[in-house]
Amino acid sequence: MLKKIIKIISKDYDVERKKDVKYKNQDLFEAALKEGLFDPSWYASKIGKTFETKHDAFDDYLYRSRFSTISPSPRFDNESYIRTYPDVYLTGMSPLRHYLLHGRSEGRRISSEQERWIPKNTLEASSELSPKAEDLKIAIVLHIYYADFIKKFSKAISKLPVTVDIMCSAVGKKTQKKALSVFSGLENVREVQCVCVKNHGRNFGPLLVEFSQKLLKYDVFCHLHSKKSLFSGRENTQWADYLVEYLLLNEKVVINVLNAFAENEEYGISYPVPFAFLPGWVNHVLKNKENMKELSERFSFSIPSEFLAYPVGGMFWARPAALEPLLSAGFAYADFPEEPIPNDGTILHGIERSLGLMAVAGNYKQLFYAPDGDYFTEDDAFITFHYQKETLANLRNVLLARQNVSFDLFDTLISRECYVPDYAKLQLGQLLHEKGIVSSAQEYVALRNTAEFEIRKQQQFRGDVTIYDIYARVGELLGVSPDEAKTFADLEFNLDFNMIVPKDEMIDIFNELIDNKKHVFVVSDTYYTVEQIIMMLRKAGGICDCRFYVSSQEKMRKDTGQLWKAIIKEKAYFVSHNSHIHVGDNVVSDCQIPGDLGISTFHILSPVDKCRMMGMTSLLQRLSPDDEKSILKWGFLVSKIGRNPFVN
């Protein structure tokens, strides 16, 4: 049933609007054509659509390119322009429009179309709704916090090729009244239920409290909500525009999704691939392992270790039967956190990431839609494709375009020769075991880590501690003098220092930025002192003429957000808020948290993540952090593989 479809669309583009009707984008259109930056036929074939005129094709591009990676020609890559210049995204302007009006004169670079993800298998598309699809009983479930979305949703629903029922939750009676009036006036809507709710549980609260049992009577439903907040913390609607376009507004997509549900009972949930201008790490579990663990135990599904496919943004089509355990769970508003809630890490974020997993656990399949290429597919390789195509050259270009660049240290600029962070502790434990101070090296590692936990607990996990703070407690546990304990601390550092190796390609970029007079600094959560960190970086060949933000000295950590907030407040650091980008391997402390605070980030793969992405999970399973032979063999391989953080 699944097969690759190559679409060839031809159209006579000689017919244009009447000459007496002035085309509003004429100057822009002519410039784009003259420079070969817009190719109407090529563009139409990319999105699987025909247009009556070249102007229609250009207008479609200007609209769609605000929230899509689809490029206007092989000479201009939409996504690359946005990722290189994220300030363009914040304007809400089409990338090509921005380049022609502003970017070209500002000296901004463009690139030819880059490699795009092509699924292994695709579902044969249709332009006609099947008889079975016409008979589906369909519900549209909407949660409206922002009243201006009522118009956006009603426009999309009015264009649906089927008749539907609407279940709507609205925050506030005024919004409820408006929604009920607008939706009731749509010709293809049979019934409208609109309840007034408090802003509790976001979009999933009303779905699972107000409508869950009613939805079980339907064949399929589409769930959407009024979304404005992005991962950066700024408000805009491009993400919502993308989801509404490829869930409801685009008739071709709707037809094929409904046909798929009608013709194949194995499909349980369907949604577009993640919004392209989100970072690659959006497909990660992030802070949700604990709340997903609780859900997995309740609903019997398995959790991936890191990356996974899920409807990013919480909007999707689904077969109620595929989510029946969730819909029948009897949720109450008390099960969800009160506002304001954090950007991640709650049961709501856990549910969002668990939807596809629940469907698959019930023997249903996920169906994805990729607008760039017009693909319907079951292939979920898109979740890591961003990392498969990323290169050192692109990282270098992105960083050189910024004035302020910060780097994480461990597994970003430097690594350990045998990867395992606790190996120095294990070696120290062996020495102490030989002196009869501890019964085994493994016992010492446990004692050492217990001491660190206890000293952090004494400080109520506020700020951070130094290696000497930790070893003061180690000394108490071992019954040795403070001076001897300090000697042990220095010995652990020296053992770790001896294992430090550079991530050569990253060090080269780091040094080049400093040579180019960029404002470069290092941000690290560590118990080592600034002096010790400088020694490690210098050993790796790094130029140390830069600012160091080290948690042990600053008494603030980046994984709590405190250190990032302090950095932002430094007037000497910020010339322009958008001029800063941070590079690191930890998806939470190096990407998600600074991203929520408005700092651009560039996620690189840690050695472990790279091994997983290259299908080397078995290698990681052989690596035992408390066995020296395993560390020397398998840890050495992990470090070698992970030196270059890119797959290519």
Side-chain angles (χ1 to χ4, degrees):
M1 184 190 68
L2 292 175
K3 62 180 181 179
K4 182 76 178 286
I5 302 295
I6 300 176
K7 303 178 180 67
I8 301 176
I9 299 178
S10 62
K11 180 70 179 177
D12 181 0
Y13 284 104
D14 292 335
V15 180
E16 291 297 341
R17 288 184 172 87
K18 294 179 180 180
K19 291 184 178 180
D20 58 341
V21 178
K22 185 177 180 181
Y23 176 47
K24 63 179 180 179
N25 291 312
Q26 186 63 32
D27 291 344
L28 202 68
F29 173 72
E30 290 179 356
L33 283 182
K34 181 179 179 181
E35 298 185 29
L37 298 179
F38 180 65
D39 184 330
S41 298
W42 184 89
Y43 173 72
S45 67
K46 284 287 287 185
I47 66 171
K49 188 175 180 179
T50 58
F51 298 96
E52 290 187 4
T53 70
K54 296 176 184 179
H55 288 162
D56 289 339
F58 192 60
D59 285 343
D60 187 82
Y61 164 75
L62 292 177
Y63 159 71
R64 203 177 302 275
S65 60
R66 294 172 49 256
F67 53 77
S68 172
T69 60
I70 298 169
S71 298
S73 79
R75 291 194 57 198
F76 186 96
D77 190 78
N78 240 45
E79 183 177 0
S80 295
Y81 193 75
I82 288 292
R83 290 194 181 278
T84 304
Y85 308 110
D87 60 303
V88 175
Y89 172 80
L90 297 176
T91 68
M93 190 182 296
S94 164
L96 181 55
R97 181 192 289 274
H98 181 276
Y99 175 72
L100 291 172
L101 295 179
H102 309 289
R104 181 170 47 186
S105 61
E106 294 169 358
R108 304 205 190 205
R109 297 185 303 271
I110 63 173
S111 61
S112 57
E113 194 196 23
Q114 305 297 302
E115 179 186 2
R116 290 286 180 265
W117 175 66
I118 300 176
K120 295 177 182 177
N121 299 292
T122 60
L123 183 68
E124 184 172 358
S126 172
S127 59
E128 300 291 334
L129 198 67
S130 72
K132 285 186 178 180
E134 291 178 353
D135 291 336
L136 289 173
K137 187 176 182 182
I138 302 167
I140 306 297
V141 184
L142 306 172
H143 176 64
I144 301 176
Y145 178 80
Y146 298 104
D148 55 315
F149 270 70
I150 295 173
K151 182 178 180 181
K152 184 188 296 286
F153 288 148
S154 64
K155 177 183 176 182
I157 293 170
S158 69
K159 295 181 180 296
L160 288 174
V162 290
T163 303
V164 300
D165 292 338
I166 293 179
M167 299 181 189
C168 174
S169 55
V171 178
K173 290 185 177 180
K174 185 176 180 181
T175 302
Q176 176 197 25
K177 183 179 179 180
K178 181 179 179 181
L180 186 60
S181 173
V182 171
F183 296 141
S184 297
L186 298 178
E187 292 184 0
N188 59 340
V189 173
R190 280 187 303 256
E191 179 183 344
V192 180
Q193 302 175 53
C194 191
V195 296
C196 180
V197 298
K198 295 181 179 179
N199 187 27
H200 191 169
R202 297 288 174 93
N203 57 304
F204 285 118
L207 171 70
L208 297 175
V209 176
E210 305 289 346
F211 305 127
S212 56
Q213 289 301 301
K214 297 174 183 177
L215 284 173
L216 293 173
K217 299 177 182 179
Y218 287 81
D219 298 311
V220 64
F221 73 95
C222 184
H223 174 62
L224 300 102
H225 61 103
S226 58
K227 188 172 187 62
K228 288 189 180 181
S229 58
L230 279 170
F231 64 94
S232 64
R234 298 179 176 90
E235 283 195 355
N236 55 53
T237 63
Q238 287 112 305
W239 189 354
D241 290 343
Y242 171 80
L243 291 170
V244 172
E245 172 72 22
Y246 297 118
L247 283 168
L248 276 189
L249 192 55
N250 191 301
E251 184 178 18
K252 180 180 178 181
V253 174
V254 172
I255 286 173
N256 282 279
V257 168
L258 293 179
N259 284 352
F261 278 112
E263 304 296 334
N264 190 335
E265 293 185 1
E266 291 184 324
Y267 288 126
I269 189 167
S270 177
Y271 48 91
V273 299
F275 182 52
F277 301 132
L278 293 173
W281 50 263
V282 75
N283 297 300
H284 199 278
V285 172
L286 297 177
K287 299 178 184 178
N288 300 290
K289 289 184 179 179
E290 287 304 312
N291 57 57
M292 288 181 70
K293 182 180 179 182
E294 294 178 12
L295 291 166
S296 71
E297 292 171 353
R298 185 175 180 182
F299 298 112
S300 303
F301 62 86
S302 299
I303 306 173
S305 57
E306 303 295 340
F307 291 89
L308 76 163
Y310 70 98
V312 180
M315 305 191 210
F316 54 90
W317 282 95
R319 190 186 302 276
L323 299 179
E324 191 276 334
L326 181 69
L327 296 174
S328 299
F331 279 98
Y333 284 113
D335 295 319
F336 307 113
E338 295 273 2
E339 295 289 339
I341 66 172
N343 289 341
D344 196 26
T346 73
I347 186 175
L348 297 168
H349 302 97
I351 289 172
E352 180 182 29
R353 281 171 173 77
S354 300
L355 293 170
L357 301 174
M358 292 181 192
V360 171
N363 296 317
Y364 289 93
K365 294 179 180 179
Q366 299 194 74
L367 178 64
F368 314 109
Y369 177 67
D372 199 341
D374 191 32
Y375 299 115
F376 294 91
T377 182
E378 296 172 11
D379 185 3
D380 67 357
F382 60 83
I383 63 177
T384 57
F385 179 73
H386 170 81
Y387 297 96
Q388 303 288 342
K389 69 170 185 173
E390 199 55 88
T391 64
L392 281 162
N394 184 53
L395 170 62
R396 177 180 175 274
N397 290 335
V398 169
L399 299 187
L400 285 171
R402 300 303 182 94
Q403 188 57 40
N404 302 288
V405 185
S406 60
F407 288 84
D408 172 49
L409 183 68
F410 291 101
D411 294 326
T412 296
L413 295 173
I414 65 175
S415 189
R416 294 173 172 91
E417 190 172 21
C418 293
Y419 182 69
V420 177
D422 279 359
Y423 186 32
K425 303 171 191 175
L426 189 69
Q427 288 179 309
L428 178 54
Q430 291 168 347
L431 295 175
L432 297 180
H433 172 62
E434 292 170 4
K435 293 182 178 182
I437 297 177
V438 294
S439 60
S440 71
Q442 289 76 15
E443 177 194 295
Y444 174 73
V445 174
L447 180 145
R448 157 65 177 78
N449 290 339
T450 296
E452 182 176 346
F453 176 79
E454 289 179 352
I455 198 72
R456 290 183 185 280
K457 186 176 181 181
Q458 285 178 7
Q459 297 185 8
Q460 299 180 320
F461 300 100
R462 294 175 181 171
D464 208 349
V465 300
T466 70
I467 190 171
Y468 298 107
D469 296 329
I470 295 168
Y471 269 86
R473 179 57 180 154
V474 169
E476 293 173 359
L477 294 175
L478 292 178
V480 301
S481 69
D483 287 343
E484 193 169 6
K486 183 178 182 301
T487 300
F488 292 166
D490 290 333
L491 188 52
E492 179 183 315
F493 168 72
N494 289 331
L495 290 167
D496 210 4
F497 178 80
N498 290 336
M499 291 184 287
I500 292 300
V501 292
K503 300 191 75 170
D504 297 308
E505 294 85 353
M506 296 300 297
I507 287 289
D508 288 345
I509 292 175
F510 176 83
N511 289 343
E512 183 181 3
L513 290 168
I514 294 177
D515 288 339
N516 277 271
K517 308 302 181 183
K518 301 295 184 181
H519 187 141
V520 179
F521 47 104
V522 174
V523 188
S524 180
D525 278 347
T526 179
Y527 42 73
Y528 287 133
T529 66
V530 173
E531 293 75 17
Q532 290 170 331
I533 290 300
I534 290 174
M535 289 174 63
M536 288 180 163
L537 183 57
R538 185 171 287 127
K539 181 190 176 186
I543 299 173
C544 293
D545 184 18
C546 59
R547 171 76 156 93
F548 290 84
Y549 293 87
V550 178
S551 61
S552 62
Q553 175 172 297
E554 305 292 338
K555 300 303 178 185
M556 294 177 285
R557 291 181 62 86
K558 62 181 180 179
D559 61 8
T560 65
Q562 291 178 320
L563 189 52
W564 289 118
K565 290 176 182 177
I567 291 171
I568 289 172
K569 287 181 180 178
E570 281 201 14
K571 293 181 179 179
Y573 150 59
F574 266 117
V575 177
S576 167
H577 189 65
N578 293 323
S579 69
H580 176 208
I581 188 168
H582 176 72
V583 185
D585 69 291
N586 188 291
V587 290
V588 176
S589 64
D590 289 319
C591 298
Q592 184 181 32
I593 292 175
D596 287 342
L597 294 171
I599 298 173
S600 296
T601 63
F602 196 113
H603 182 232
I604 62 171
L605 294 174
S606 70
V608 167
D609 282 342
K610 182 175 179 180
C611 286
R612 287 198 184 103
M613 207 161 288
M614 295 180 70
M616 298 181 180
T617 305
S618 60
L619 185 156
L620 299 175
Q621 293 171 342
R622 296 188 183 100
L623 177 58
S624 174
D626 59 0
D627 178 75
E628 186 170 34
K629 289 183 179 179
S630 173
I631 293 171
L632 291 173
K633 182 176 182 179
W634 303 113
F636 178 79
L637 283 175
V638 170
S639 184
K640 284 292 184 184
I641 292 168
R643 189 205 73 218
N644 183 327
F646 299 103
V647 176
N648 290 330

